[in-house]
Amino acid sequence: MHHFTKSAINDMQHIYKINLINSCSGYKSANLIGTKSLDGTSNVAVFSSITHIGSNPALLGFFLRPTTVIRNTYENIKETGYFTINPIHESILKDAHHTSAKYHKSISEFDVTSLEEEYKNDYDVPFVKDAPIQIGMQYVEEYDIKVNQTILLIGEIKDLFIKDNLIDADGFVNLSNGNVACINGLDGYAIPKLKTRLDYQRPKI
Amino acid sequence: MHHFTKSAINDMQHIYKINLINSCSGYKSANLIGTKSLDGTSNVAVFSSITHIGSNPALLGFFLRPTTVIRNTYENIKETGYFTINPIHESILKDAHHTSAKYHKSISEFDVTSLEEEYKNDYDVPFVKDAPIQIGMQYVEEYDIKVNQTILLIGEIKDLFIKDNLIDADGFVNLSNGNVACINGLDGYAIPKLKTRLDYQRPKI
């Protein structure tokens, strides 16, 4: 095995380092976050850090980079209090990845890709049309992460839309039935196929 | 599409709710966290919430349930300051999943599964032998998540061991070369195969 020490990691060339550290801890969720600014410009951006935080209440969170970089998603959520989470599926991989380009806040990524916005219920924030799962989120709270000036932003699920053929009888959402992607590192994508579900485990002794 | 409202989610039967909410936001990382108590009992447990928090310094974090439930992993990390993260690969899926059973702190999951502990460098905490990636972590800080009394625990990578055939020339770690798993919901596992890597994206306009 190759052994990278902490000091070797610190001294690494930037691109090598971000590739290595972003891919060493396993696969990540692949989602598009949809938002809208108060002046009406919609935004959609790929995020790989969306994480389940709790089911009761139903909470999801994600990490944002420091305020020193452009963060349209964060500013829009703070302005309106709402956002959407839309798992990325196979047929939109390239357009979804393109939303990582740094566009000015006045430009909607919906206008420069073939991704289409969709509005449902009373949300004035865009869902991604044809996504197999669409999650309407309300801002709950945020935490400043001291060690690297990132922000953990937490929201609660207000409305959850799921294509019927993904939902099993016990509530399990079969992501592979929707050809949902996962992310390896910064730029690698896979479309996993469910291999097995394992039983609830109890101690043997 | 099926539409679940917030109030419908709140009123759901418990098992249906945790299956649904744990699987709706996409795939999760599949890792075993290795720890050791001060009195020398080793522990290994499956976690699906390990998330990349930053590369410079190299930080990973994960969420722990409230203090009202058994949390050997948390207690051991607080006692020693160290833990290991080991991505789960295909050949140990069943044993890795079994570590979700609630064993008393005096029992090591290494003794009730075929998982083997391995010690490297100056760590007195166990790595999982034969894991394609082994990450030695040092505790950095934690955050109490007010909304549901979970804890976000953050550590820094001190030593990173990766099988040579997983590392590409630019630092990308090809997880599918190691048959690394991802998790769908609470109990679904897939072994993704890398489909594509996409280029760094710049604005079109």
Side-chain angles (χ1 to χ4, degrees):
Chain A
M1 297 179 97
H2 195 91
H3 177 196
F4 302 94
T5 63
K6 175 179 168 177
S7 63
I9 293 170
N10 285 341
D11 293 342
M12 265 171 201
Q13 185 266 344
H14 175 68
I15 299 293
Y16 195 97
K17 183 193 302 189
I18 62 176
N19 277 327
L20 187 79
I21 303 303
N22 270 281
S23 46
C24 70
S25 61
Y27 292 99
K28 309 173 189 183
S29 57
N31 285 286
L32 288 168
I33 294 185
T35 58
K36 186 175 269 196
S37 66
L38 273 189
D39 68 8
T41 305
S42 56
N43 183 285
V44 62
V46 58
F47 279 83
S48 65
S49 62
I50 291 172
T51 304
H52 173 264
I53 292 182
S55 296
N56 191 26
L59 302 166
L60 302 172
F62 64 101
F63 292 90
L64 289 139
R65 298 174 63 194
T67 46
T68 52
V69 299
I70 300 172
R71 298 193 297 188
N72 301 341
T73 299
Y74 177 73
E75 290 167 13
N76 289 349
I77 294 172
K78 294 294 282 189
E79 285 177 15
T80 66
Y82 291 92
F83 58 110
T84 72
I85 295 175
N86 309 265
I88 295 168
H89 59 296
E90 186 166 20
S91 64
I92 62 165
L93 277 189
K94 286 187 180 176
D95 278 322
H97 186 67
H98 182 68
T99 65
S100 61
K102 292 173 182 63
Y103 283 99
H104 186 272
K105 196 175 177 182
S106 64
I107 294 171
S108 169
E109 292 80 4
F110 287 112
D111 292 335
V112 294
T113 64
S114 62
L115 300 170
E116 290 183 60
E117 45 199 318
E118 181 177 15
Y119 293 88
K120 294 189 174 198
N121 291 34
D122 54 350
Y123 285 93
D124 192 30
V125 287
F127 292 95
V128 176
K129 195 177 175 209
D130 297 331
I133 301 168
Q134 297 168 321
I135 314 174
M137 301 290 300
Q138 182 169 17
Y139 174 92
V140 173
E141 59 185 13
E142 67 189 71
Y143 294 86
D144 293 320
I145 306 301
K146 295 189 197 82
V147 62
N148 70 346
Q149 294 82 54
T150 52
I151 290 175
L152 167 64
L153 191 150
I154 298 174
E156 181 174 1
I157 298 177
K158 294 277 285 179
D159 286 279
L160 175 57
F161 301 90
I162 306 181
K163 285 191 175 167
D164 293 308
N165 68 321
L166 273 64
I167 309 170
D168 284 3
D170 63 354
F172 179 80
V173 181
N174 188 323
L175 299 168
S176 66
N177 280 358
N179 297 316
V180 170
C182 66
I183 297 182
N184 181 164
L186 289 167
D187 54 17
Y189 292 87
I191 310 294
K193 285 294 150 198
L194 184 67
K195 176 185 170 73
T196 184
R197 288 187 70 189
L198 298 175
D199 291 334
Y200 182 82
Q201 299 292 305
R202 292 181 173 80
K204 297 174 186 171
I205 55 175
Chain B
M1 299 180 96
H2 196 92
H3 178 198
F4 302 94
T5 63
K6 175 179 169 178
S7 63
I9 294 170
N10 285 341
D11 293 344
M12 265 172 201
Q13 185 265 345
H14 175 68
I15 298 294
Y16 194 97
K17 183 193 303 189
I18 63 175
N19 278 325
L20 187 79
I21 303 305
N22 270 281
S23 47
C24 69
S25 62
Y27 291 99
K28 309 174 189 182
S29 58
N31 284 287
L32 288 168
I33 294 184
T35 58
K36 186 175 269 194
S37 65
L38 273 189
D39 69 7
T41 306
S42 56
N43 183 285
V44 61
V46 59
F47 279 83
S48 64
S49 63
I50 291 173
T51 303
H52 173 264
I53 291 181
S55 296
N56 192 27
L59 302 166
L60 303 172
F62 64 100
F63 292 91
L64 289 138
R65 299 173 66 194
T67 46
T68 51
V69 298
I70 300 172
R71 298 193 297 188
N72 301 340
T73 297
Y74 177 73
E75 290 168 13
N76 289 349
I77 294 173
K78 295 294 282 189
E79 284 178 14
T80 67
Y82 291 93
F83 58 108
T84 72
I85 294 176
N86 310 266
I88 295 168
H89 59 294
E90 187 167 19
S91 64
I92 62 165
L93 277 190
K94 286 187 181 176
D95 278 321
H97 186 67
H98 182 67
T99 65
S100 61
K102 291 174 182 63
Y103 283 99
H104 186 272
K105 196 175 177 181
S106 64
I107 295 171
S108 170
E109 291 80 3
F110 287 111
D111 292 335
V112 293
T113 65
S114 62
L115 299 171
E116 290 183 58
E117 46 199 316
E118 180 177 14
Y119 292 87
K120 295 189 173 199
N121 291 33
D122 55 350
Y123 284 93
D124 192 32
V125 286
F127 292 95
V128 176
K129 196 176 175 209
D130 298 330
I133 301 169
Q134 298 168 321
I135 313 174
M137 302 290 300
Q138 182 169 17
Y139 174 92
V140 172
E141 58 185 13
E142 67 188 72
Y143 294 86
D144 294 321
I145 306 302
K146 295 188 198 83
V147 62
N148 71 346
Q149 294 82 53
T150 52
I151 290 175
L152 167 64
L153 191 150
I154 297 175
E156 181 174 1
I157 298 177
K158 295 278 283 179
D159 287 278
L160 175 56
F161 302 90
I162 306 181
K163 286 192 174 166
D164 293 308
N165 69 321
L166 273 63
I167 309 171
D168 284 2
D170 64 353
F172 179 81
V173 181
N174 188 323
L175 299 168
S176 66
N177 281 358
N179 297 317
V180 170
C182 66
I183 298 183
N184 181 162
L186 290 167
D187 55 17
Y189 291 87
I191 310 294
K193 284 296 150 197
L194 184 67
K195 175 185 171 74
T196 184
R197 289 187 69 189
L198 299 175
D199 292 334
Y200 182 82
Q201 298 293 303
R202 292 180 172 82
K204 297 175 188 171
I205 54 174

